[in-house]
Amino acid sequence: MPIISISKLSKTYKSGFTALSNIDLAIERGEIFALLGPNGAGKSTLINIVCGIVTPSSGTVMVDGHDIAADYRAARRAIGLVPQELTTDAFETVLNTVSFSRGLFGLQPDPGHIEKILRALSLWDKRDSRLMTLSGGMKRRVLIAKALSHEPRVLFLDEPTAGVDVELRQDMWGLVRDLRQQGVTVILTTHYIEEAEEMADRIGVIRRGQIILVEEKAALMRKLGRKQLTLQLQAPITEIPPELSDYGLVLAGDGRELVYTYDTRAERTGITGLLTGLAAAGIRFNDLHTEQSSLEDIFVGLVREGEARA
Amino acid sequence: MTTGTSATMNMNWPAVRAIYRFEMGRFWRTAGQSILAPVISTTLYFVVFGAAIGSRVSAVDDVPYGLFIVPGLIMLSLLTQSISNASFGIYFPRFAGTIYEILSAPISPLEVVLGFVGAAASKSILIGLIILATSALFVPLRIDHPIWMVGILLLTAVTFSLFGFVIGLWADGFEKLQLVPLLVVTPLTFLGGSFYAINMLPPFWHAVSLVNPVVYLISAFRWAFFGKADVSIAISLGMTALFLVICLGLVTYIFRTGYRLKS
């Protein structure tokens, strides 16, 4: 059974803006799911509905078998949320604010658990510091500590590494992997494609309030990935011979490189024909390499494709 | 927090305690200011009304004027502190964005109200007791009905903390947060017989005063001290209870509709 089941979920705000339209989505237990989408696509609205912050217009959401409306207490106990904005109570100390969060979720104080979380997030030395004295990165860690204080089974990370430095980003990725090891399901929204590429097991793409694709990351890369073959020429050329015009070659590197883009899904990639054609045209090369298109390329392609259809 | 109910689940007391302690923490963080301010203002009231003016005013209903103003002074602070504490308590998380944590926690509306209103009422009662203790330095205190005094203190603190909670949810800026306490409650308290008995007023203004709900609170509180009231104690308590019910109704409506809390 999926840990989160979303069925026919829609949200239309009072202004008339439809943020989500008939969403169906299942998140599997223990996976890292990345939700990608441009600004205003509905990522945060979707998360906020599951967490109880926004009221849905229609549809149902089950978290670990509990309906978020009818059995909201059990559903919410399972969830930890790290919001996008750095919203903290400026005058509170780190220890107090994390302990407060644990209490909100109905758990008795557990100083040992809080200490463990703060140490894991390198916050233990700052436990008595007021939040207003912390850097942006440290505040982000505090928000994660608050979300983990009640030992959630599902963790939502809404743009977790927005505005944080490279070191902290690496730390967070490590933390997310550790959480997954402990059986926590992680759902993250991100603008950083490399983040999804690095961490996610599955990827969902949302656009204009609709899920346009959900796929295993590796399968997505395989299925939609395009590859580029770059040939390093022995001697530069000024133009592509007309007999090779069908291959859509691009001349690069001041005429010293020929770039051929092909589809890995196609029955024939055309590489053999290209190489034969090059030999016939007297073009020799001394090196070659291939490059898989990144998730970012795939994402941009999907969104553009959707916009063109709309 | 949700607009629905889950009757089968037990109360989330750790959450109530967490909110209560968090809010009280804010009070203790500024304890010097929280305690010193009412002590200073009470002292000033006694200097101005007790010594300077009170020495020229004869006893009111056989109660020396300095002693007569004690219930009014306490009520003045109790009302304004209850409203400002509760309204700030719920408005600040909305303003700072930390309200997300309350909204996404397994807390019922009742538990949220208990935490915030309980803390706001506790703070204002503490301040009321500080004013009472400060008053004892200036006049020999007399409390004819101490249990009623405590009961009315509690009822008023809770009622006006609920009212403040409603204001804190309604306000969409710090100006609005101050609007009702400054422009409505304080004038009503001053004109509600804090420093005089309303039967000292000419008949017309006496009749007008009876429209002021604060008159009933001060009258009931003064009755608890001196056994004498401007209006019947039953009517006073009835009016206060009515206001409590109205505030409860407003809070229930807000949580049911998600007004200013959820989109």
Side-chain angles (χ1 to χ4, degrees):
Chain A
M1 185 180 70
I3 195 157
I4 294 180
S5 300
I6 298 171
S7 174
K8 300 194 186 328
L9 187 70
S10 296
K11 174 64 186 179
T12 302
Y13 287 100
K14 277 182 186 166
S15 62
F17 172 69
T18 298
L20 296 177
S21 181
N22 230 17
I23 298 270
D24 288 311
L25 183 63
I27 308 291
E28 299 303 326
R29 203 172 289 271
E31 73 172 330
I32 299 177
F33 186 89
L35 189 59
L36 303 180
N39 283 333
K43 303 185 296 288
S44 292
T45 299
L46 182 59
I47 286 183
N48 286 338
I49 287 176
V50 178
C51 294
I53 297 167
V54 169
T55 310
S57 302
S58 62
T60 57
V61 179
M62 305 288 284
V63 179
D64 210 7
H66 304 285
D67 187 296
I68 60 160
D71 197 3
Y72 70 93
R73 288 196 200 256
R76 291 182 196 175
R77 279 203 180 103
I79 298 173
L81 167 66
V82 181
Q84 193 172 336
E85 287 85 17
L86 290 174
T87 48
T88 53
D89 200 330
F91 301 101
E92 265 308 334
T93 64
V94 171
L95 189 61
N96 280 351
T97 196
V98 176
S99 304
F100 169 70
S101 299
R102 184 176 171 86
L104 281 184
F105 281 77
L107 298 181
Q108 297 299 330
D110 184 347
H113 178 69
I114 301 293
E115 181 179 341
K116 199 175 98 186
I117 292 172
L118 294 183
R119 285 194 187 280
L121 288 159
S122 309
L123 283 170
W124 183 244
D125 293 341
K126 299 275 183 186
R127 62 190 180 280
D128 294 321
S129 302
R130 289 192 176 180
L131 297 178
M132 62 184 171
T133 65
L134 301 182
S135 66
M138 281 292 178
K139 283 179 185 160
R140 180 76 63 188
R141 287 172 197 242
V142 172
L143 290 179
I144 295 175
K146 283 164 79 69
L148 294 176
S149 66
H150 65 282
E151 302 154 58
R153 297 188 288 284
V154 181
L155 182 67
F156 281 97
L157 296 163
D158 198 358
E159 303 282 351
T161 53
V164 304
D165 58 34
V166 176
E167 191 186 353
L168 179 55
R169 189 177 300 176
Q170 295 288 345
D171 284 357
M172 283 196 187
W173 290 355
L175 177 80
V176 168
R177 287 194 195 97
D178 289 348
L179 288 169
R180 200 248 304 262
Q181 291 286 319
Q182 294 161 31
V184 177
T185 306
V186 180
I187 296 127
L188 64 97
T189 70
T190 181
H191 276 102
Y192 299 109
I193 308 291
E194 59 168 337
E195 197 159 71
E197 199 167 349
E198 177 78 22
M199 289 201 298
D201 299 312
R202 282 198 309 152
I203 288 167
V205 178
I206 186 168
R207 193 188 66 86
R208 293 188 182 173
Q210 291 183 313
I211 299 277
I212 56 174
L213 178 134
V214 175
E215 189 67 85
E216 297 278 340
K217 181 184 69 183
L220 183 66
M221 300 284 288
R222 272 198 311 274
K223 209 157 89 179
L224 298 180
R226 296 176 77 79
K227 266 189 159 179
Q228 282 190 330
L229 168 67
T230 304
L231 300 159
Q232 308 284 339
L233 305 183
Q234 277 186 355
I237 58 173
T238 52
E239 58 180 18
I240 295 162
E243 57 269 33
L244 298 175
S245 60
D246 290 347
Y247 292 97
L249 296 171
V250 174
L251 203 53
D254 293 331
R256 290 190 171 275
E257 287 180 359
L258 268 180
V259 181
Y260 172 53
T261 305
Y262 60 98
D263 191 345
T264 53
R265 291 170 297 172
E267 205 171 295
R268 292 183 174 192
T269 59
I271 294 174
T272 311
L274 172 65
L275 296 182
T276 308
L278 284 170
I283 299 174
R284 294 175 178 275
F285 53 93
N286 50 20
D287 199 5
L288 60 85
H289 70 270
T290 60
E291 202 172 27
Q292 179 89 39
S293 53
S294 71
L295 195 53
E296 184 159 4
D297 302 327
I298 298 169
F299 172 66
V300 170
L302 276 169
V303 172
R304 281 192 186 149
E305 196 178 302
E307 276 167 0
R309 260 192 249 126
Chain B
M1 199 159 60
T2 184
T3 52
T5 56
S6 184
T8 53
M9 299 294 287
N10 293 326
M11 286 279 288
N12 185 352
W13 287 113
V16 177
R17 200 161 44 241
I19 296 173
Y20 182 87
R21 288 178 63 175
F22 197 80
E23 284 300 304
M24 290 306 287
R26 206 196 303 278
F27 178 79
W28 295 121
R29 265 203 304 274
T30 54
Q33 183 190 323
S34 306
I35 293 167
L36 210 60
V39 171
I40 290 173
S41 61
T42 307
T43 305
L44 288 174
Y45 276 121
F46 272 106
V47 169
V48 175
F49 290 99
I53 297 173
S55 60
R56 294 163 192 264
V57 178
S58 57
V60 182
D61 291 334
D62 299 328
V63 179
Y65 187 70
L67 181 59
F68 177 83
I69 63 171
V70 172
L73 275 181
I74 295 173
M75 206 46 93
L76 180 66
S77 286
L78 195 72
L79 299 189
T80 50
Q81 289 291 329
S82 297
I83 291 175
S84 62
N85 285 330
S87 59
F88 188 79
I90 188 65
Y91 177 74
F92 193 72
R94 287 179 56 220
F95 170 76
T98 52
I99 192 75
Y100 84 87
E101 208 176 2
I102 306 249
L103 293 173
S104 61
I107 317 175
S108 70
L110 174 66
E111 289 150 5
V112 175
V113 171
L114 279 176
F116 278 105
V117 170
S122 301
K123 291 180 213 173
S124 56
I125 287 170
L126 264 172
I127 289 169
L129 293 176
I130 290 168
I131 293 173
L132 187 68
T134 310
S135 302
L137 301 175
F138 294 92
V139 290
L141 287 183
R142 173 185 144 196
I143 305 173
D144 287 1
H145 308 287
I147 294 173
W148 277 103
M149 189 216 82
V150 172
I152 295 167
L153 196 71
L154 271 172
L155 181 66
T156 310
V158 170
T159 303
F160 277 80
S161 293
L162 265 174
F163 185 47
F165 191 76
V166 172
I167 292 170
L169 288 172
W170 162 76
D172 53 11
F174 281 100
E175 298 80 14
K176 275 192 180 175
L177 210 58
Q178 295 297 325
L179 199 70
V180 177
L182 278 179
L183 296 183
V184 181
V185 176
T186 305
L188 285 181
T189 313
F190 270 95
L191 299 172
S194 297
F195 302 106
Y196 56 87
I198 61 165
N199 55 22
M200 292 163 73
L201 297 170
F204 174 77
W205 290 110
H206 181 269
V208 170
S209 290
L210 292 177
V211 182
N212 180 356
V214 178
V215 162
Y216 300 93
L217 297 170
I218 293 177
S219 174
F221 203 47
R222 193 166 280 143
W223 171 84
F225 275 77
F226 313 126
K228 290 167 185 161
D230 289 330
V231 287
S232 141
I233 178 70
I235 293 175
S236 290
L237 290 177
M239 293 294 278
T240 311
L242 177 69
F243 192 53
L244 174 70
V245 169
I246 292 171
C247 290
L248 278 172
L250 280 172
V251 169
T252 307
Y253 167 80
I254 285 168
F255 280 114
R256 194 160 286 171
T257 58
Y259 172 75
R260 298 275 172 123
L261 280 173
K262 288 187 172 190
S263 47

